[in-house]
Amino acid sequence: MDKELIIRSSSEDVDFALLKDGKLIELQKEEESNDFSVGDVFIAKIRKAVPGLNAAFVNVGYEKDAFLHYHDLGPKLPSLLKFTKSVSTGKLKDFSLKNFPFEKDIDKDGSIADVLKSNQSLLVQIVKEPISTKGPRISSELSIAGRYIVLVPFSDRISISQKIESKEEKDRLKRLVKSITPQGFGIIVRTVAEGKKVAELDKDLQNLLSRWTAMCKKLNKAHHPSKVLGEMNKASSMLRDIFNDTFTSIHVDEETLYYQIKDYVQEIAPNKESIVKLYQANVPIYEKFGIERQIKT
């Protein structure tokens, strides 16, 4: 079976078409102008808590305030607030959470006014991109997604994707991940981790920890509000989520994007690097692969 990813780039957008044996099975569009992508982390300012909605409006730098519901705060909110304050003021230089004492969890049915105050600084993550009249939906339960695992700061839980069916494999992954998880972090194991060795999982984990450290380093000098951790570009994040050994080719019609994707594939699957090809013919790439025709039908 041939599984091909065709990536078309124009000045504003990037389009992705996934083909199985030449048949179009998925189509996605990415507009490059969005500064508020799902997964981005911002250092933001609480504008006001609204007890009636049990939520807060938060300034993340978008024209409309972001909406943060009490249930999206996460139980570890006090620890996150304390950590953010200590790092932002330069008091805390160790970002590992190893020696960081956690605060008591918030009550799961509590009130927003008891835990957040106006003008407070808070790290938040975009859960839903802004649409027309609404600002982004956010959460203060942070997570950083990698290829095989998702890193969850201020947690001690290890959970395995429900889509992995074998109990033996679940137990094996849990055991491996437990042996490499640093104190103060939780881990969610993704479906694509099935059958992977500890070295591959650890490489992913180290990569995520270095992204966490890079984000923490920015806090000391960051303006409030501003983005402190960006999701990877769409091409890489899409590859991270759907790429596997069954791909036979990836065609890209733009040079910079071609190198970005080649680098990313080289990192996650070195033996597959050669399947990334730069498309340079005169016929538009979607026409060449029969995608335009299939979109019309």
Side-chain angles (χ1 to χ4, degrees), residues 65-123:
D65 285 337
F67 183 78
L68 178 62
H69 193 274
Y70 187 87
H71 290 145
D72 295 323
L73 293 173
K76 300 286 184 217
L77 178 77
S79 304
L80 174 69
L81 286 168
K82 183 174 137 192
F83 178 83
T84 308
K85 191 174 179 180
S86 309
V87 174
S88 297
T89 52
K91 283 191 188 131
L92 184 65
K93 301 262 193 303
D94 171 14
F95 310 133
S96 70
L97 302 184
K98 192 167 62 206
N99 304 310
F100 182 76
F102 283 9
E103 300 292 298
K104 189 172 172 290
D105 287 6
I106 60 171
D107 177 11
K108 71 173 194 301
D109 297 316
S111 159
I112 197 101
D114 298 337
V115 291
L116 289 180
K117 297 174 180 50
S118 295
N119 274 329
Q120 218 168 4
S121 291
L122 176 65
L123 277 172

Side-chain angles (χ1 to χ4, degrees), residues 134-153:
K134 287 185 177 165
R137 178 91 189 247
I138 53 176
S139 163
S140 53
E141 268 195 289
L142 307 181
S143 63
I144 310 174
R147 172 135 173 79
Y148 301 122
I149 59 176
V150 178
L151 186 67
V152 187

Side-chain angles (χ1 to χ4, degrees), residues 3 5 7 16 26 28 37-40 125-126 129 143-151 188-193 196 204-205 207-208 211 229-245 247 250 260-261 263-269:
K3 199 166 170 192
L5 185 63
I7 302 174
F16 305 85
E26 200 174 316
Q28 291 202 22
S37 302
V38 170
D40 287 349
Q125 191 160 32
I126 307 284
E129 293 172 7
S143 63
I144 310 174
R147 172 135 173 79
Y148 301 122
I149 59 176
V150 178
L151 186 67
I188 300 163
V189 179
R190 305 181 70 160
T191 315
V192 284
K196 294 293 176 248
D204 204 24
L205 172 64
N207 183 13
L208 295 176
R211 291 184 68 201
L229 179 73
E231 233 320 353
M232 42 176 65
N233 65 43
K234 184 67 178 243
S236 302
S237 62
M238 178 157 172
L239 280 176
R240 178 193 68 199
D241 294 341
I242 67 168
F243 183 82
N244 56 36
D245 293 343
F247 275 70
I250 299 172
Q260 275 179 359
I261 289 169
D263 286 349
Y264 185 66
V265 173
Q266 161 68 39
E267 195 183 301
I268 61 168

Side-chain angles (χ1 to χ4, degrees), residues 143-180:
S143 63
I144 310 174
R147 172 135 173 79
Y148 301 122
I149 59 176
V150 178
L151 186 67
V152 187
F154 308 102
S155 167
D156 53 7
R157 286 190 54 195
I158 289 174
S159 48
I160 312 287
S161 161
Q162 292 299 315
K163 289 183 183 160
I164 296 175
E165 285 168 8
S166 150
K167 186 179 178 316
E168 288 77 19
E169 179 60 2
K170 276 187 172 162
D171 293 345
R172 182 190 78 90
L173 285 167
K174 197 159 200 166
R175 210 170 48 247
L176 290 186
V177 167
K178 226 177 197 147
S179 70
I180 58 173

